[in-house]
Amino acid sequence: MLTLATTAPGEPEIFSSLQGEGPSLGRPSTFVRLSRCNLACQWCDTAYTWRFEGDNRPHRDDTVYDRKANQVALGEGDIAARIAALPPDRLVLTGGEPLLQGAALARMVASLNELRPGMHIEVETNGTITPHPALDPLIHQYNVSPKLAHSGNPPDLALISERLAAWVTDGRAFFKFVIAEPSDLDEVLALRDAYRIPGNRLFLMPEGRSSDVLRERAIWLAEICVHNGFRFTDRLHIHLWGDTRGT
């Protein structure tokens, strides 16, 4: 069984859309949003995957979500069948933190490969967890988003040295840093230099949950990317559909 987020009580967040971020931006994709996360970003736009009753980790909205209304458990075969029935040939496993459920994800992806051979499979991860050995060979792309200080996560939890070093050696891994202020670049540069992250695999993305905020920050962030040889990524889904579930 896998524990998924919901779009409405009892309805798993499995949907087709366009990938809105990173190296696959604009590609038609099916998304499966897993519930639960080992980190707690104060600006997280999917806090309904982790900030349940009793979880006092800080979040700027200070909203507490009902677990039963925002989680649903489904069998791996059921999930694979739902994905296979949708048009895209690209799957994005997101969260929350999907690698917390690596063993069950491996079973689901194996079932999917029997139903729809040849699908491109991406994982969106905060980069702190080692992929399950049964899952890792099945993944084509990792979108790794290490959390900077403005996320509110302690660095000893969010920036695990051996994991960052391992991701750099994995050619499937792309790095995406969320940027709220120009000064956040100092942390990115320090991490790039410490781990020798290649510029062509390093994306900067403005933090924001509205088009207005994203456009405002994109103006100065684009200049930073040009100056430092980094890749820029927007949040296409926010511009198209707003900050909504299932998009």
Side-chain angles (χ1 to χ4, degrees):
M1 300 288 283
L2 281 162
T3 303
L4 276 64
T6 62
T7 52
E11 295 297 325
E13 195 167 354
I14 301 172
F15 61 96
S16 294
S17 185
L18 299 176
Q19 171 61 289
E21 303 172 358
S24 303
L25 189 148
R27 290 181 177 270
S29 305
T30 292
F31 289 79
V32 174
R33 188 175 302 284
L34 281 296
S35 190
R36 306 201 311 259
C37 193
N38 60 319
L39 298 182
C41 299
Q42 60 184 2
W43 38 254
C44 178
D45 60 356
T46 58
Y48 60 90
T49 66
W50 58 268
R51 202 169 192 271
F52 305 122
E53 299 91 337
D55 191 329
N56 297 318
R57 292 178 293 176
H59 188 267
R60 65 185 176 192
D61 290 345
D62 205 29
T63 302
V64 176
Y65 295 91
D66 178 72
R67 185 183 296 272
K68 289 184 178 179
N70 290 279
Q71 279 188 347
V72 62
L74 292 178
E76 293 92 335
D78 184 1
I79 297 169
R82 292 174 186 242
I83 297 166
L86 296 172
D89 61 0
R90 181 175 294 258
L91 171 64
V92 180
L93 301 171
T94 188
E97 174 48 59
L99 293 181
L100 290 172
Q101 303 184 61
L105 278 177
R107 295 190 294 270
M108 187 278 288
V109 173
S111 296
L112 177 63
N113 285 341
E114 294 181 0
L115 297 172
R116 284 278 300 273
M119 286 195 74
H120 179 99
I121 300 173
E122 301 181 14
V123 170
E124 297 188 331
T125 176
N126 59 36
T128 63
I129 296 173
T130 303
H132 191 279
L135 176 67
D136 187 52
L138 306 175
I139 303 304
H140 299 93
Q141 180 176 316
Y142 288 103
N143 304 321
V144 182
S145 183
K147 306 309 178 190
L148 304 178
H150 66 81
S151 71
N153 293 288
D156 60 328
L157 296 181
L159 301 172
I160 299 175
S161 181
E162 58 266 29
R163 285 309 314 145
L164 291 172
W167 290 121
V168 170
T169 64
D170 189 335
R172 300 170 294 172
F174 294 85
F175 291 79
K176 180 188 71 182
F177 292 94
V178 177
I179 305 296
E181 301 289 344
S183 58
D184 296 334
L185 178 65
D186 293 340
E187 287 182 76
V188 175
L189 293 176
L191 290 168
R192 179 202 62 181
D193 294 343
Y195 296 100
R196 299 184 180 180
I197 304 173
N200 64 347
R201 289 165 52 198
L202 196 160
F203 288 77
L204 301 185
M205 183 182 77
E207 189 276 317
R209 294 161 62 180
S210 72
S211 281
D212 289 345
V213 170
L214 291 171
R215 289 191 178 103
E216 178 183 344
R217 290 174 172 168
I219 293 172
W220 49 260
L221 186 56
E223 292 297 326
I224 287 175
C225 288
V226 170
H227 182 74
N228 290 278
F230 298 153
R231 298 172 70 176
F232 173 88
T233 180
D234 208 339
R235 306 194 73 207
L236 178 63
H237 54 296
I238 298 293
H239 295 300
L240 294 175
W241 298 291
D243 184 19
T244 56
R245 302 192 195 192
T247 57

